[in-house]
């Protein structure tokens, strides 16, 4: 069976066979086929074949498009002419049918134009070629118009495997052809049936460049066609796209007086659409299109609008009209504008041109006053949108998610309003809505809780703008809260509001007696629903943080709440995760206690966590090993939270010492269990961070456990615990013997675990924590690390692991290497230079090769910046040697992949770094070379095959 029939049969199986496994095999075969050189001819033949069905045509058009984009280099130079002519024939063939196929063909032609220089198209490039085709074959103008629209869109496409220089040249060629393109489009305006296509293509060319003067565009037939079509339902969407692009055109680049002729044409015509926003007979999609035009105008002209001129205020009124629309999707189109306007009005740098501080403040106050009324209205227009719908419970999960997202967005708008109006004025507006909702509830038995909740939610959003001394509204709000119904969602928001205003509560006058009612509300929230319990627990944390001194006198009540919540008794619905907020809350309060009381309070706060751990460890080895990890970690995590937040080093250290036998038992019997070890090491890390040297003998016992257990169980958490110890004690000479032994034990074992790239891929957590620890060693105890026997082992290990795909592990390895090179360049690094040189220089060529391989394809493009920094550090340190290595390595890449000019550009950038003259161009040069070497899979495979980053025994490039 020939390939064409095999493709047809495979497609038939893919779309129609009942067996999933058979369809999967067919799909895999078709994907493999697309990568072959035969795919060119087979796809072309089947597209020209009148008997091909729709499935075959779609598949083959996609294949041909992809081949032109990615694999054009597979073809010999003489193939261009026949390929162009074939694609031209296909454009004509599908002129009036199968839009999906025609679109793929047009993209293929555009990609071909990117690959092939202008002269190959016959003088004026593809646009002139297209113009000639339209004149000689006017019956195929629709296909040619689609191609004309696609060309500017493909100018920046990185799907096309063209060299960066060629891509830039193509952009210049298209820009030079702009007038020809617009003249073609102008000529096509006479055909009504083509008007939408013409407008779409015009918008596309406007996005490409801004070479046509605004004064010329102001009277251009295409612009007036777009404006006239704003009144047409048939062409409205296309017209809006054009006018939107023209608006952007007037603010791109030069936005001075030369743009005003076009602005004077556009703005009045757009403003004339304002009435249509309220036209109920108007199609919803048309209203959306018009609203989008106003939103674009607002975003684009925000600098002008912010001046507060009479003309700009007309635009603001129109945008308020959009914001008032009942459809949230339409209203929300303006929200970006209000944010940008707020930034322009409130930031000082918007007024620097006014010179003196007095002039700046005067102008700022004038503008804020000017925009006060619009922002006041905006608050009222958006506040109602957070009101829970009556049928919320019956909404789909997706709709509920959308509603919650709406609330977050509206919160941001209210924050913008408060930034302009000030918190107190915004609060008064929202408080009036709260009063209205409460009064309506008092007079109407059928009233709902939703309006009250909405007002409180909005007030919560602006809490950070409310001064602590605010004495008019907040006392009234706080007096209302205990009287509100206990509806779960309302109570949840009440609790969140309390948390948001914790700073105001901390300074509230004593005569208001705010704290006790607040605590009652929060305890009620913890027993009403899971959501209200979450909000209450978080609010407790904020209240305790800001009112910690006030709580010192009422610890018994706090501990009572805490113990009930932790124990799960008393009807509280606080989850174990949310209970951490209460743990943190109590810990903050304990920090404020005098030492003699803090020790007792520490025992009380730790008791609900340490008692069950003690009971478990008393069961003995077998039972301790069999118990589910969650029964341990929930308590250990609470202790870790306490160690982290009780900022009393001696008190915490005393507690850790008392608890150490329990911790040691868990270490000894659960070292195989990653979850438990991560939890315990995290708790120990917080203890080290809080206590420092106060830990005394406990830190020694902790390190003994790590040294003993890590070689047995290889838990990465032992490494990050050790990182904290190194940070805290690395520079302490009295700890050097301890730490030297620790470093050697950990790194010796790790380098035995990570001997090939597959090991790194299998255990990225080990790699990540290992090299984070190594970087810590360089910063805090370089003497112990660099002079140790493990230092060269870590360099070798890092070289093996550079190409790991795991982001964090890769970043840690690259950071470690740059830290090593930077160490020798530092003022304190002289004493390490000979050691580092002795390790790095014999490996330098191989390391350079791996780094070059990494940014040319072995690592994702997102790692480029980190790889570039390592290469930069290496070059700064070893200058001429790196240049020699790089020259030999870059020459390994065949000339079919990179040109001599690209090689020289790379070496020149490295030379500039080596000479100390300039490093700014290195990133750009590497990015360009990376793009060249990744332009398609074939090229990337050739580069990686030449550089072989995973083969550390290569000697070709080693000098």
């Amino acid at each position: 069976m020939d390939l064409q029939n095999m493709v047809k049969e495979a497609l038939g199986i893919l779309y129609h066979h009942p067996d999933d496994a058979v369809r999967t095999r067919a799909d895999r075969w078709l994907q493999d086929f697309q990568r072959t050189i035969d795919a060119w001819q087979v796809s072309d033949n089947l597209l020209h074949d009148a008997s091909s069905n729709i499935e075959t045509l779609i598949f083959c058009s996609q294949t041909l498009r992809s081949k032109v984009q990615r694999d054009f280099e597979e073809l010999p130079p003489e193939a261009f002419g026949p390929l162009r002519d074939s694609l031209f024939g296909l454009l004509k063939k599908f002129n009036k049918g199968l839009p999906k196929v025609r679109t793929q063909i047009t993209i293929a032609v555009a990609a071909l134009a990117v690959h092939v220089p202008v002269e190959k198209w016959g003088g004026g490039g593809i646009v002139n070629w297209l113009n000639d085709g339209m004149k000689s074959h006017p019956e195929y103008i629709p296909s040619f118009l689609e191609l004309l629209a696609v060309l500017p869109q493909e100018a920046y496409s990185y799907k096309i495997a063209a060299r960066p220089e060629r891509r830039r040249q193509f952009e210049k060629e298209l820009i030079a052809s702009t007038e020809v393109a617009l003249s073609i489009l102008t000529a096509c305006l006479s055909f009504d049936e083509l008007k939408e296509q013409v407008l779409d293509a015009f918008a596309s060319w406007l996005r490409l460049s801004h070479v046509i003067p605004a004064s010329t565009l102001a009277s251009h037939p295409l612009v007036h066609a777009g404006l006239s079509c704003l009144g047409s339902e048939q062409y409205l969407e296309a017209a809006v796209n054009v006018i939107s692009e023209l608006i952007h055109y007037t603010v791109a680049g030069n936005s001075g007086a030369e743009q005003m002729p076009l602005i004077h044409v556009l703005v009045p015509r757009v403003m004339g659409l304002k009435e249509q926003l309220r036209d109920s007979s108007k199609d919803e999609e048309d209203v959306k299109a018009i609203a989008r035009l106003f939103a674009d105008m607002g975003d684009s002209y925000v600098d002008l609008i912010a001046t507060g001129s009479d003309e700009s205020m007309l635009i603001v009124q129109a945008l308020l009209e959009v914001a008032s629309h009942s459809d949230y999707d339409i209203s929300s189109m303006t929200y970006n504008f209000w944010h940008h306007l707020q930034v322009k009005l409130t930031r000082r740098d918007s007024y620097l041109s006014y010179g003196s501080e007095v002039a700046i403040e005067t102008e700022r106050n004038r503008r804020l006053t000017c925009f006060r009324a619009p922002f006041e209205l905006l608050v009222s227009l958006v506040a109602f949108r957070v009101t829970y719908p009556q049928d919320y419970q019956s909404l789909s999960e997706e709709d509920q998610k959308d509603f919650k997202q709406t609330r977050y967005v509206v919160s941001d708008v209210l924050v913008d309003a408060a930034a302009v109006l000030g918190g107190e004025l915004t609060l008064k507006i929202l408080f009036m809505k709260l009063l209205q909702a409460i009064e309506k509830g008092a007079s109407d038995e059928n009233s709902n809780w939703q309006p009250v909740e909405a007002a409180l939610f909005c007030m919560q959003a602006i809490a950070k703008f409310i001064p602590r001394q605010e004495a008019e509204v907040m006392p009234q709000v706080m007096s209302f809260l205990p009287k509100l119904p206990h509806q779960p969602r309302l109570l949840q928001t009440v609790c969140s509001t309390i948390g948001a205003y914790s700073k105001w509560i901390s300074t509230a006058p004593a005569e208001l007696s705010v704290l006790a009612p607040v605590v009652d509300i929060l305890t009620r929230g913890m027993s009403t629903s899971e959501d209200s319990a979450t909000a209450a627990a978080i609010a407790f944390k904020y209240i305790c943080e800001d009112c910690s001194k006030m709580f010192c006198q009422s610890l018994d009540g706090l501990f009572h709440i805490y113990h009930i919540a932790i124990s799960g008794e008393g009807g509280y619905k606080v989850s174990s995760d949310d209970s951490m907020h209460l743990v943190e809350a109590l810990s903050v309060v304990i920090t404020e206690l005098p030492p003699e009381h803090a020790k007792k309070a520490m025992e009380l706060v730790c008791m609900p966590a340490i008692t069950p751990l003690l009971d478990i460890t008393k069961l003995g080895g077998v039972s301790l090993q069999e118990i589910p990890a969650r029964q341990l970690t929930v308590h250990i995590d609470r202790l870790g939270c306490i160690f982290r937040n009780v900022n009393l080093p001696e008190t915490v250290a005393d507690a850790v010492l008392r608890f150490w036998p329990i911790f040691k038992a868990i270490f000894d019997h659960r070292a195989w269990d990653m979850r438990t070890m991560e939890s315990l090491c995290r708790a120990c890390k917080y203890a080290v961070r809080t206590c420092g040297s106060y830990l005394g003998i406990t830190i020694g016992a902790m390190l003994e456990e790590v040294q003993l257990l890590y070689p047995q169980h290889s838990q990465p958490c032992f490494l990050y615990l050790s990182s904290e110890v190194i940070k805290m004690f690395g520079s302490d000479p009295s700890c050097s013997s301890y730490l030297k032994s620790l470093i050697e034990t950990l790194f010796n074992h790790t380098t035995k675990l990570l001997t090939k790239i597959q090991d790194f891929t299998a255990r990225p957590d080990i790699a990540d924590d290992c090299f984070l620890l190594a970087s810590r060693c360089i910063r805090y105890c370089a003497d112990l690390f660099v002079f140790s026997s493990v230092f060269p082992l870590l360099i070798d290990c890092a070289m093996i692991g550079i190409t790991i795909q795991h982001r964090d592990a890769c970043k840690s390895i690259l950071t470690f290497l740059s830290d090593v090179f930077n160490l020798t360049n530092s003022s304190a690094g002289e004493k390490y230079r000979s050691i580092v040189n002795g390790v790095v220089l014999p490996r330098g060529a191989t390391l350079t090769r791996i780094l070059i391989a990494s940014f040319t394809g072995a690592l994702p493009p997102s790692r480029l910046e980190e790889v570039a920094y390592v290469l930069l550090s290496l070059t700064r340190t070893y200058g001429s040697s790196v240049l020699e290595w790089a020259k030999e390595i870059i020459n390994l890449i065949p000339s079919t992949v990179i040109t001599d000019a690209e090689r020289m550009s790379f070496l020149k950038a490295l030379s500039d770094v080596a000479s100390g003259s300039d490093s700014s161009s290195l990133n750009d040069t590497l990015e360009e070379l990376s793009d060249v070497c990744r332009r398609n899979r074939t090229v990337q495979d050739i580069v990686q095959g030449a550089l072989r980053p995973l083969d550390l025994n290569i000697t070709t490039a080693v000098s």
Side-chain angles (χ1 to χ4, degrees):
M1 185 186 299
D2 63 24
L3 264 177
Q4 289 181 201
N5 287 327
M6 291 173 69
V7 168
K8 287 182 177 180
E9 182 178 333
L11 286 167
I13 292 171
L14 177 65
Y15 287 103
H16 304 294
H17 200 283
D19 190 328
D20 287 347
V22 175
R23 288 202 305 274
T24 300
R25 286 197 296 272
D27 185 40
R28 194 178 300 117
W29 185 89
L30 288 166
Q31 289 181 41
D32 292 339
F33 160 77
Q34 288 179 310
R35 289 192 282 270
T36 66
I37 195 148
D38 293 321
W40 288 98
Q41 191 63 58
V42 171
S43 297
D44 186 67
N45 290 345
L46 288 172
L47 284 167
H48 284 282
D49 186 347
S51 67
S52 295
N53 61 21
I54 293 177
E55 293 158 354
T56 302
L57 292 172
I58 291 174
F59 172 79
C60 289
S61 64
Q62 290 172 338
T63 301
L64 197 55
R65 181 263 304 158
S66 177
K67 296 297 283 185
V68 177
Q69 286 180 325
R70 308 301 302 169
D71 300 324
F72 182 68
E73 291 180 22
E74 290 180 346
L75 300 178
E78 61 271 16
F80 163 68
L83 177 60
R84 178 196 59 196
D85 294 343
S86 177
L87 290 171
F88 187 51
L90 290 170
L91 269 183
K92 292 188 286 186
K93 176 181 177 181
F94 295 105
N95 182 57
K96 292 185 177 179
L98 295 177
K100 288 183 179 179
V101 174
R102 185 175 62 247
T103 297
Q104 297 300 311
I105 301 302
T106 57
I107 295 173
V109 177
L112 189 63
V114 178
H115 285 298
V116 179
V118 62
E119 55 272 11
K120 292 270 186 93
W121 292 87
I126 188 171
V127 177
N128 272 351
W129 175 83
L130 189 56
N131 192 21
D132 293 341
M134 294 173 84
K135 288 176 181 176
S136 57
H137 299 282
E139 68 274 23
Y140 302 124
I141 284 178
S143 283
F144 298 148
L145 271 180
E146 183 170 350
L147 175 56
L148 196 62
V150 165
L151 281 170
Q153 298 166 14
E154 295 300 297
Y156 308 107
S157 173
Y158 280 84
K159 291 180 179 178
I160 301 172
R163 296 173 185 276
E165 180 56 39
R166 174 57 203 151
R167 192 178 286 116
R168 288 191 290 268
Q169 187 59 41
F170 177 69
E171 181 188 350
K172 291 177 184 176
E173 292 167 8
L174 281 190
I175 290 172
S177 302
T178 300
E179 289 192 21
V180 177
L182 298 194
S183 69
I184 295 172
L185 295 175
T186 302
C188 292
L189 278 175
S190 58
F191 303 100
D192 281 346
E193 69 274 15
L194 299 177
K195 192 165 286 185
E196 185 172 0
Q197 270 192 284
V198 169
L199 293 176
D200 287 341
F202 182 37
S204 185
W205 280 86
L206 287 171
R207 277 191 291 273
L208 173 71
S209 70
H210 303 95
V211 295
I212 307 295
S215 57
T216 302
L217 282 175
S219 58
H220 201 286
L222 288 167
V223 173
H224 286 279
L227 290 170
S228 64
C229 286
L230 288 175
S232 162
E233 291 186 8
Q234 183 179 357
Y235 304 123
L236 179 63
E237 186 70 29
V240 165
N241 290 336
V242 167
I243 306 308
S244 178
E245 290 302 330
L246 287 167
I247 289 170
H248 296 157
Y249 198 101
T250 62
V251 294
N254 295 324
S255 57
E258 64 269 24
Q259 302 295 335
M260 294 312 294
L262 184 55
I263 292 174
H264 286 151
V265 169
L266 298 176
V267 173
R269 188 67 183 84
V270 175
M271 291 298 293
L273 301 171
K274 179 181 172 183
E275 296 303 316
Q276 296 188 35
L277 292 168
R278 292 195 295 263
D279 187 348
S280 59
S281 65
K282 199 82 176 164
D283 181 80
E284 185 177 323
E285 291 305 313
D286 289 347
V287 176
K288 281 185 179 180
I290 294 169
R292 176 162 64 84
L293 205 50
F294 278 106
D296 279 347
M297 190 166 65
D299 285 336
S300 298
Y301 299 146
V302 68
D303 286 339
L304 295 172
I305 293 170
T307 62
S309 66
D310 291 343
E311 295 84 356
S312 68
M313 296 311 291
L314 293 175
I315 298 177
V316 171
Q317 291 303 316
L319 288 163
L320 284 169
E321 193 76 49
V322 178
S324 69
H325 199 280
S326 58
D327 187 318
Y328 171 77
D329 289 338
I330 293 174
S331 168
S332 61
M333 289 179 185
T334 67
Y335 292 175
N336 275 339
F337 162 74
W338 300 114
H339 173 70
H340 293 146
L341 179 60
Q342 175 267 125
V343 170
K344 293 294 179 184
L345 293 174
T346 57
R347 289 192 181 172
R348 187 176 180 276
D349 56 9
S350 300
Y351 303 94
L352 293 180
S353 61
Y354 287 86
S356 70
E357 289 298 324
V358 172
I360 286 174
E361 193 61 24
T362 300
E363 177 61 17
R364 185 175 183 274
N365 289 335
R366 183 192 73 79
R367 293 190 185 186
L368 290 175
T369 301
C370 183
F371 285 96
R372 174 173 169 172
F375 273 94
E376 286 180 355
L377 179 55
L378 179 66
V379 172
S380 296
L381 291 177
V382 301
F384 80 93
R385 298 189 187 276
V386 305
T387 307
Y388 271 96
Q390 296 286 350
D391 60 346
Y392 179 78
Q393 288 302 124
S394 62
L395 295 179
S396 69
E397 185 177 341
E398 191 63 31
D399 286 342
Q400 290 186 1
K401 184 178 177 181
D402 288 344
F403 174 68
K404 289 180 179 178
Q405 181 61 33
T406 297
R407 284 164 68 96
Y408 293 136
V409 172
V410 169
S411 292
D412 290 339
V413 178
L414 291 170
V415 165
D416 289 327
V420 173
L421 300 173
E424 290 172 287
L425 177 54
T426 312
L427 181 66
K428 287 178 182 177
I429 297 170
L430 296 172
F431 180 60
M432 291 306 297
K433 294 187 176 299
L434 177 65
L435 284 178
Q436 291 166 9
I438 291 174
E439 288 170 4
K440 189 173 187 299
S443 61
D444 183 356
E445 292 182 1
N446 296 319
S447 68
N448 297 300
W449 54 270
Q450 287 92 337
V452 175
E453 190 277 339
L456 285 175
F457 179 86
C458 292
M459 294 169 70
Q460 171 191 321
I462 63 164
K464 70 177 183 179
F465 292 92
I466 308 306
R468 296 190 184 193
Q469 65 272 19
E470 202 284 327
E472 182 180 349
V473 173
M474 285 310 301
Q476 297 183 70
V477 173
M478 289 296 165
S479 70
F480 282 131
L481 296 185
K483 305 170 187 174
L484 295 177
H486 298 172
Q487 200 282 335
R489 291 195 189 280
L490 174 57
L491 185 55
Q492 177 185 350
T493 300
V494 169
C495 292
S496 296
T497 304
I498 289 169
Y501 284 92
S502 58
K503 286 182 169 53
W504 183 89
I505 292 170
S506 70
T507 57
E511 60 270 19
L512 292 179
S513 304
V514 173
L515 198 57
V518 156
V519 172
D520 287 343
I521 293 171
L522 296 182
T523 53
R524 191 188 315 140
M526 286 193 287
S527 59
T528 300
S529 71
E530 291 182 3
D531 288 337
S532 65
T534 298
I538 294 171
F540 248 120
K541 180 181 76 170
Y542 292 141
I543 288 290
C544 286
E545 285 176 354
D546 292 316
C547 310
S548 53
K549 287 185 171 60
M550 298 164 66
F551 277 116
C552 288
Q553 307 304 315
S554 55
L555 271 178
D556 289 345
L558 275 183
F559 274 114
H560 178 69
I561 295 169
Y562 169 72
H563 281 280
I564 292 175
I566 296 295
S567 68
E569 300 170 358
Y572 283 6
K573 301 182 186 300
V574 180
S575 69
S576 57
D577 288 339
D578 290 332
S579 71
M580 298 297 286
H581 298 302
L582 297 177
V583 174
E584 191 173 338
L586 266 292
S587 301
V588 172
V589 174
I590 289 171
T591 299
E592 296 295 332
L593 296 174
E596 62 275 14
H597 297 304
K599 185 174 181 181
K600 179 62 177 174
M602 186 74 173
E603 291 177 6
L604 289 173
V605 78
C606 290
M607 188 181 301
I610 203 65
T611 301
L613 289 177
L614 179 60
D615 292 340
I616 291 169
T617 54
K618 283 180 179 178
L619 295 174
V622 175
S623 298
L624 183 52
Q625 289 188 23
E626 291 177 349
I627 199 167
R630 178 64 178 164
Q631 293 186 31
L632 293 165
T633 59
V634 66
H635 304 300
I636 297 171
D637 287 342
R638 285 171 182 160
L639 291 172
C641 185
I642 294 166
F643 298 160
R644 183 183 191 181
N645 291 287
V646 175
N647 192 19
L648 298 170
E650 290 185 76
T651 302
V652 174
D654 180 63
V656 174
L657 179 61
R658 284 186 286 110
F659 303 155
W660 178 250
I662 298 173
F663 292 168
K664 186 177 186 309
I666 298 171
F667 269 125
D668 290 342
H669 293 285
R670 299 284 297 205
W672 51 269
D673 174 15
M674 180 177 287
R675 284 184 62 193
T676 302
M677 287 300 101
E678 284 181 346
S679 179
L680 186 53
C681 285
R682 186 164 50 246
C684 290
K685 179 184 75 172
Y686 292 141
V688 170
R689 189 177 292 174
T690 297
C691 303
S693 59
Y694 287 102
L695 274 180
I697 60 171
T698 313
I699 192 69
M702 203 180 289
L703 294 183
E704 286 178 8
E705 289 293 314
V706 168
Q707 281 186 250
L708 174 67
L709 297 173
Y710 181 64
Q712 297 176 37
H713 301 283
S714 306
Q715 299 286 11
C717 54
F718 292 136
L719 295 171
Y720 77 65
L721 172 56
S722 301
S723 287
E724 194 64 38
V725 173
I726 292 292
K727 181 180 178 181
M728 193 64 63
F729 298 102
S731 56
D732 186 344
S734 66
C735 300
S736 58
S737 60
Y738 257 124
L739 298 183
K740 185 174 186 299
S741 174
L742 177 71
I743 288 169
E744 291 181 350
T745 298
L746 298 180
F747 289 137
N748 266 314
H749 181 65
T750 304
T751 53
K752 291 173 184 174
L753 293 175
L754 305 175
T755 61
K756 53 187 182 297
I757 190 64
Q758 291 82 357
D759 298 333
F760 282 80
T761 302
R763 293 298 303 270
D765 46 358
I766 286 278
D768 185 19
D769 289 319
C770 166
F771 288 100
L772 285 174
L773 173 60
S775 285
R776 282 270 172 94
C777 289
I778 290 174
R779 291 186 182 90
Y780 296 102
C781 56
D783 285 358
L784 300 181
F785 179 58
V786 175
F787 294 120
S788 74
S789 59
V790 298
F791 177 63
L793 300 179
L794 258 292
I795 297 292
D796 286 335
C797 189
M799 289 168 62
I800 295 168
I802 287 175
T803 56
I804 184 174
Q805 301 302 297
H806 188 277
R807 183 184 62 183
D808 293 336
C810 179
K811 186 175 180 179
S812 296
I813 293 167
L814 293 171
T815 300
F816 163 69
L817 288 170
S818 59
D819 286 346
V820 169
F821 307 140
N822 292 337
L823 176 66
T824 60
N825 283 328
S826 66
S827 56
E830 181 67 35
K831 60 181 176 179
Y832 308 116
R833 196 158 294 153
S834 62
I835 295 290
V836 174
N837 289 351
V839 173
V840 173
L841 286 173
R843 298 163 171 81
T846 303
L847 176 57
T848 304
R849 175 178 55 78
I850 296 169
L851 292 172
I852 293 174
S854 294
F855 74 74
T856 55
L859 286 175
S862 56
R863 297 282 85 74
L864 179 64
E865 190 174 338
E866 286 100 339
V867 175
Y869 185 69
V870 177
L871 188 58
L872 175 70
S873 303
L874 181 68
T875 307
R876 281 175 174 166
T877 306
Y878 297 108
S880 58
S881 296
V882 177
L883 281 177
E884 291 176 19
W885 300 329
K887 186 174 182 181
E888 292 186 38
I889 291 157
I890 203 69
N891 284 333
L892 294 174
I893 302 176
S895 57
T896 55
V897 173
I898 62 173
T899 64
D900 289 341
E902 288 160 347
R903 275 183 238 274
M904 293 308 298
S905 176
F906 167 65
L907 293 173
K908 170 70 165 55
L910 275 188
S911 179
D912 290 342
V913 173
S915 65
S917 61
D918 181 33
S919 62
S920 60
S921 65
L922 182 63
N923 268 31
D924 291 340
T925 304
L926 296 190
E927 187 173 343
E928 188 140 318
L929 187 59
S930 173
D931 189 10
V932 168
C933 293
R934 298 174 191 265
R935 62 185 185 270
N936 60 39
R937 183 180 300 191
T938 302
V939 167
Q940 192 165 329
D941 288 345
I942 291 171
V943 173
Q944 295 304 301
L947 299 182
R948 290 179 284 166
L950 302 183
D951 181 3
L952 294 183
N953 298 316
I954 191 170
T955 57
T956 308
V958 179
S959 58

